[in-house]
Amino acid sequence: MVFLRWKIVAAMVALAVSAAIPAAADEASLPKGIVVPSVAALDDASQTYALYLPSAYTKDRRWPIIYAFDPFAHGKTPVELYKDVAEKYGYILAASNVARNGPAAPAMAAAQAVWHDTHRRLALDRDRVYTTGLSGGARFATSFALYCYTCAIAGVIAQGAGYPAGKIEGGKDGFLYYMAVGDADFNLPELLQLRRKKEERGQPYRIKIYPGPHQWAPAAIFEDAIEWLEVKAMQAGTEKTDRAFITRIFDRTREEAVRAEQQSDALARLSALRSLVSDFKGFDGINVAEFEAELAILKSSKALKGALRKEQREIERQESLTRKAGGQLGALAAADGQEQIMLRQELDAAFSGLRRCIGSNGPDRTLCLRALNQLWVQGMESGEEEMRQGHLMQAIVYFELMANVAPQSSWPVLRLAAARVKAGNH
């Protein structure tokens, strides 16, 4: 009861704060230097978004903006997490409280509502408009850049996922692409394969793999992404070149290349050398010729080919660990009676095996953690889909199973309760 009262009080406080910025408020009334959890769109008050304006914001100049998409429509989460980086580099953050994982049309309507409202209210640099998102939000941030033909997106910071699964070839696929992913993220193989495609096509990209699970990246990683966008904007001439800034980032990238060579990390060296060649070409006083030569040698080296083969084996091993259980999860909704009981028993055994692998602290621990998380999210998403379709008993089966797999997580417990209430069990 204490927890429940605390949640009610927190909700009342959040409601009071969110109501502070109504649709009728003009740009001058928007607070600077603090996170505003909810701004109502001028044309549709049901469309709200979290907003951060740098403390120095005025309409006397144009400001870059990043539109963020949280998979659960928690707009405040990324804005709160990255506000200090936005303040440091002078970026506006805007994150929809409506766009979420699920049908594409409502998410696109929500994103366009935020787009039009911010363009109407704020002084934006039209050449420096970016998107970011986590998981399904990353896919949507990419989709928005690809297929919003009335928008102009200069770059995407994709976190924990990449392109939409059913991507139609084409779209405006010429934007900058920064990929941030944890080493324990189940979508790591997807982004590694996407990195290869970007490399083969010569498209502008950067990838950062950090220690962590499937989550919004730490602020330090987001800052690295912003610095890369800043370098590319200066290179393109859409932002005035800051010589000291360029020199600092160049020197740091060169140190990364040296460190990767010392550690015999061919993939890290590929990333650093590629950045030195593609990101710093054209700046006065910087000669990238020696790095071009090093990059050419590395690309044909046995070390890089061996590293890529090892990476591919890891990708295939994760696929093999999840193939059978993933198919069983897919069949669970249509099963009934004894067949469903058998499937649940086999799935329990599969999850138990992965948990033992994780607990062993052996060399495959991170691989097993990615596999377990992949299956767990598949189960949760299956439950959510059954809920959307009104198949409440099937949803309950998924949420019960996933609650047993991750008893420390509130998500399956809350969704299980919601499904039971809808089914008449109050």
Side-chain angles (χ1 to χ4, degrees):
M1 288 300 293
V2 172
F3 176 75
L4 180 59
R5 285 197 299 269
W6 179 87
K7 292 291 283 184
I8 292 171
V9 170
M12 291 173 67
V13 171
L15 181 61
V17 173
S18 66
I21 310 297
D26 61 16
E27 178 271 339
S29 68
L30 295 174
K32 284 79 173 175
I34 64 170
V35 173
V36 182
S38 184
V39 177
L42 294 169
D43 293 333
D44 182 354
S46 69
Q47 294 286 356
T48 71
Y49 56 97
L51 178 70
Y52 182 80
L53 295 177
S55 56
Y57 174 84
T58 69
K59 297 203 78 169
D60 296 335
R61 52 163 285 200
R62 300 292 171 179
W63 299 76
I65 186 170
I66 299 176
Y67 295 99
F69 300 99
D70 181 84
F72 301 107
H74 298 161
K76 183 182 176 182
T77 298
V79 175
E80 187 70 46
L81 181 59
Y82 301 135
K83 64 180 175 59
D84 291 340
V85 179
E87 176 70 20
K88 181 177 179 180
Y89 292 91
Y91 277 67
I92 298 169
L93 299 176
S96 172
N97 292 320
V98 179
R100 66 176 68 239
N101 281 5
M108 183 61 75
Q112 289 180 329
V114 178
W115 172 279
H116 291 307
D117 200 66
T118 50
H119 278 69
R120 183 174 173 182
R121 291 182 191 253
L122 305 173
L124 303 181
D125 185 339
R126 304 298 177 94
D127 294 320
R128 298 168 64 204
V129 177
Y130 309 99
T131 62
T132 189
L134 168 65
S135 192
R139 300 193 197 287
F140 182 77
T142 305
S143 295
F144 193 67
L146 282 167
Y147 303 122
C148 181
Y149 290 98
T150 59
C151 312
I153 307 299
V156 175
I157 304 172
Q159 306 193 34
Y163 280 56
K167 175 187 178 296
I168 303 170
E169 287 301 321
K172 303 178 295 178
D173 200 354
F175 42 81
L176 305 171
Y177 208 74
Y178 185 104
M179 295 170 275
V181 61
D183 61 356
D185 192 320
F186 54 87
N187 279 335
L188 176 61
E190 172 194 336
L191 290 177
L192 294 177
Q193 291 170 323
L194 179 56
R195 182 207 67 209
R196 295 184 185 186
K197 291 180 181 178
K198 291 284 185 182
E199 182 71 33
E200 291 169 0
R201 296 172 181 175
Q203 294 176 319
Y205 80 91
R206 184 169 172 82
I207 186 168
K208 183 67 70 171
I209 302 171
Y210 59 89
H214 189 69
Q215 63 182 12
W216 283 104
I221 302 299
F222 190 75
E223 182 169 3
D224 183 77
I226 293 297
E227 288 176 338
W228 184 61
L229 296 178
E230 289 284 288
V231 169
K232 299 302 283 186
M234 293 177 193
Q235 186 183 47
T238 55
E239 184 181 1
K240 184 179 178 181
T241 299
D242 182 334
R243 285 293 308 163
F245 173 81
I246 291 297
T247 300
R248 177 171 65 85
I249 305 301
F250 176 79
D251 289 344
R252 187 180 70 194
T253 308
R254 183 169 52 187
E255 290 169 4
E256 289 175 5
V258 171
R259 187 163 55 251
E261 184 176 21
Q262 293 171 342
Q263 297 173 351
S264 299
D265 189 336
L267 290 172
R269 188 162 176 247
L270 172 68
S271 178
L273 286 175
R274 189 186 189 283
S275 178
L276 288 168
V277 170
S278 62
D279 298 336
F280 296 96
K281 181 176 288 187
F283 287 111
D284 291 338
I286 295 180
N287 186 352
V288 302
E290 67 172 291
F291 304 115
E292 289 176 325
E294 287 184 41
L295 181 60
I297 293 171
L298 177 64
K299 283 186 174 182
S300 61
S301 69
K302 291 182 179 179
L304 181 59
K305 292 175 182 177
L308 289 170
R309 283 195 298 270
K310 181 181 178 182
E311 182 181 84
Q312 184 61 34
R313 285 194 297 270
E314 286 286 295
I315 292 171
E316 291 169 356
R317 288 181 67 202
Q318 182 174 330
E319 199 277 333
S320 69
L321 284 173
T322 58
R323 185 187 304 115
K324 182 179 178 181
Q328 291 170 331
L329 277 171
L332 193 60
D336 55 17
Q338 190 61 33
E339 182 186 3
Q340 187 179 95
I341 293 172
M342 291 180 62
L343 281 173
R344 290 191 64 164
Q345 289 174 341
E346 291 182 24
L347 285 166
D348 282 335
F351 280 116
S352 295
L354 290 171
R355 281 197 295 266
R356 284 194 298 273
C357 171
I358 295 165
S360 69
N361 287 321
D364 290 336
R365 180 184 182 278
T366 302
L367 176 65
C368 291
L369 182 59
R370 289 202 302 265
L372 185 143
N373 287 338
Q374 177 180 333
L375 292 169
W376 186 77
V377 169
Q378 180 186 340
M380 288 301 302
E381 290 181 344
S382 297
E384 295 287 2
E385 182 58 30
E386 296 298 331
M387 279 273 281
R388 274 194 289 270
Q389 295 185 17
H391 304 156
L392 300 177
M393 300 314 296
Q394 291 93 327
I396 287 171
V397 169
Y398 280 112
F399 295 143
E400 283 180 340
L401 179 61
M402 295 306 109
N404 290 333
V405 172
Q408 76 285 359
S409 174
S410 61
W411 183 17
V413 178
L414 291 170
R415 300 307 288 157
L416 176 59
R420 284 175 173 166
V421 168
K422 284 189 174 184
N425 181 358
H426 296 276

